[in-house]
Amino acid sequence: MLRSLFALFFATAWIFAYDIPVDCTQIFEARKAEIQKELEIVDEQRQALEAFRASVYANYEENLAKLAKKESDINASMRQIEKKNKDAEAKIANYQKILDELKANTGDKLVQAYAKMKDQAAADVLTQMARSKAAAIISALDPKKISTIMAKMDPGVASELTTMLHDGPPYIDKAKDQKVDAPEGSLLN
């Protein structure tokens, strides 16, 4: 039974295959034309891709050149800024040296003046000064002169100055450090 079924199947397939004429060359030619159209499309896309790559690479090279130029400009600017900073620091150091010399000369003359003053007169003047300035002047005097001047001062002022001298420089007025909470423009401010 199985053999007869296979035989019938092959006979039917042979009959139908014989009845349909197949022109292979026509199919190959049609397929060849389709493949050529597809190849043309692929070739056009490849050319477009190559053109795009070339434009992207040219743009990349151009941006890279611009970046290199900006980097060199920034580096040149940084060198100029560093040079100006060094010059400014040198000038500041020079001005600070001059200022220190002026302060030393002025301070020395001021200390010499108070050292030559009579004790009561020096005590009266220092009592009227801001406590921080008075402490700075007194600290530069000879200890023997300090004791005679402080002996002539009001005990409260002498006590404040002694405390400031004990704490050491920088001498700061306590009254100036304390702020009163009051409206702006008030007499308390």
Side-chain angles (χ1 to χ4, degrees), residues 5-24:
L5 191 57
F6 277 129
L8 180 63
F9 176 71
F10 283 121
T12 309
W14 186 72
I15 291 174
F16 284 114
Y18 182 73
D19 284 344
I20 303 173
V22 177
D23 189 10
C24 290

Side-chain angles (χ1 to χ4, degrees), residues 49-185:
L49 179 62
E50 287 177 4
F52 178 72
R53 281 183 184 166
S55 69
V56 167
Y57 183 73
N59 191 16
Y60 171 76
E61 290 295 322
E62 180 181 336
N63 287 340
L64 195 61
K66 286 179 183 177
L67 182 63
K69 184 180 181 333
K70 285 183 180 180
E71 185 178 4
S72 67
D73 291 345
I74 288 172
N75 288 338
S77 296
M78 290 295 289
R79 284 190 296 274
Q80 288 177 346
I81 289 170
E82 287 174 4
K83 182 181 177 189
K84 287 181 181 180
N85 280 344
K86 287 180 183 177
D87 291 344
E89 288 173 1
K91 286 181 181 179
I92 289 172
N94 188 28
Y95 292 149
Q96 186 64 42
K97 182 180 173 185
I98 292 170
L99 182 63
D100 290 343
E101 289 175 6
L102 287 174
K103 282 183 180 179
N105 289 339
T106 304
D108 289 345
K109 289 180 183 177
L110 188 62
V111 169
Q112 289 173 3
Y114 276 94
K116 292 178 182 177
M117 284 176 79
K118 292 189 177 186
D119 297 334
Q120 185 62 50
D124 291 341
V125 173
L126 291 171
T127 302
Q128 298 300 318
M129 284 184 150
R131 300 293 181 253
S132 60
K133 292 183 181 185
I137 292 170
I138 290 175
S139 68
L141 292 173
D142 184 47
K144 187 174 184 180
K145 185 71 172 176
I146 293 174
S147 64
T148 57
I149 290 175
M150 292 190 87
K152 305 281 182 175
M153 283 186 175
D154 176 67
V157 175
S159 173
E160 287 180 43
L161 288 173
T162 303
T163 303
M164 290 177 86
L165 289 170
H166 179 266
D167 293 342
Y171 303 112
I172 300 170
D173 288 326
K174 304 235 187 237
K176 288 184 181 179
D177 288 344
Q178 297 173 352
K179 292 189 178 182
V180 177
D181 290 332
E184 190 66 34

